[in-house]
Amino acid sequence: MEAKKIQDLFKSELAVINLGLESFAENLRKEGVRVLQTDWRPAAGGDRRLVSLLAKLRRRKDFDVRKANQEAASRILRSKPTLVDVSTAGEAIPGMKKRMILHAGPPVTWEGMCGPMKGAVIGGLLFEGLAKDRKEAEDLAASGDIRFEPNHHHSAVGPMAGVTTWNMPVWVMENKTFGNRAYC
């Protein structure tokens, strides 16, 4: 009986679900094969370390992703962001220092910054009077004497490259529902 089923399989019309490169599906279509192309990608972009961490999260009994997402959405919808002040970054942002520049994105060194972010840092150093020209600003930024930290480590956001310096004006926003503050 098993042999008959296998023979019947080879006599039936081929239908393929392609999970890989779309060119595989295109080649099969050219041969007259019915193909369903899926837009599947491996979890975490295939990064094995991240996949392992995600798997550990899924196994945790005390963590429900759906419930956490519902709570996050609920907090966003219930929030009441209110402008409470306009100040300078140095006066308003906790942890801000005179020789610190906050920036968009994850932690990065001067050497690792993209061109637009480097340009914004140079502009910030000139704005603060810490350098008199572009060359001096570049040298100062590369010297290690300026501390670079992500805006989000200070509850802050910034436009474009996200550069925030001590004397730049910021809006102080308070979430009246939950009491947290943010700076922009």
Side-chain angles (χ1 to χ4, degrees):
M1 184 77 169
E2 289 298 316
K4 177 149 177 36
K5 284 184 181 180
I6 292 172
Q7 288 173 356
D8 289 345
L9 178 65
F10 285 110
K11 292 177 187 173
S12 62
E13 180 183 354
L14 182 63
V16 175
I17 298 174
N18 187 48
L19 301 175
L21 297 173
E22 195 162 351
S23 61
F24 293 156
E26 290 169 11
N27 289 332
L28 289 168
R29 280 190 195 103
K30 287 177 187 174
E31 297 298 321
V33 175
R34 286 187 319 158
V35 180
L36 173 63
Q37 174 65 36
T38 61
D39 188 19
W40 177 85
R41 292 190 176 98
D47 181 311
R48 289 179 186 206
R49 187 181 70 77
L50 290 178
V51 169
S52 173
L53 291 172
L54 286 171
K56 285 179 186 175
L57 251 181
R58 283 190 195 105
R59 287 191 299 269
R60 283 183 57 177
K61 302 282 188 239
D62 63 331
F63 186 73
D64 182 343
V65 174
R66 222 175 260 131
K67 186 176 177 182
N69 285 338
Q70 287 172 343
E71 177 64 22
S74 172
R75 287 182 185 215
I76 290 168
L77 294 171
R78 292 185 328 215
S79 69
K80 302 271 187 265
T82 305
L83 176 64
V84 295
D85 197 6
V86 176
S87 186
T88 63
E91 290 177 5
I93 298 177
M96 187 71 183
K97 308 278 188 253
K98 286 186 178 183
R99 296 178 75 81
M100 175 185 284
I101 296 181
L102 305 182
H103 58 79
V108 66
T109 62
W110 170 254
E111 294 77 22
M113 289 182 187
C114 65
M117 187 176 288
K118 283 184 174 183
V121 166
I122 291 166
L125 292 171
L126 293 171
F127 173 78
E128 291 297 330
L130 295 172
K132 64 180 185 277
D133 58 33
R134 178 186 181 101
K135 173 74 171 112
E136 191 175 308
E138 288 175 333
D139 291 344
L140 178 58
S143 73
D145 289 339
I146 300 298
R147 186 170 176 170
F148 298 109
E149 292 192 9
N151 274 302
H152 63 271
H153 286 187
H154 296 268
S155 299
V157 296
M160 304 295 283
V163 168
T164 306
T165 63
W166 181 263
N167 285 302
M168 287 184 177
V170 295
W171 287 356
V172 179
M173 303 297 294
E174 183 175 318
N175 180 340
K176 293 296 186 177
T177 305
F178 298 104
N180 56 308
R181 286 194 169 194
Y183 311 90
C184 179

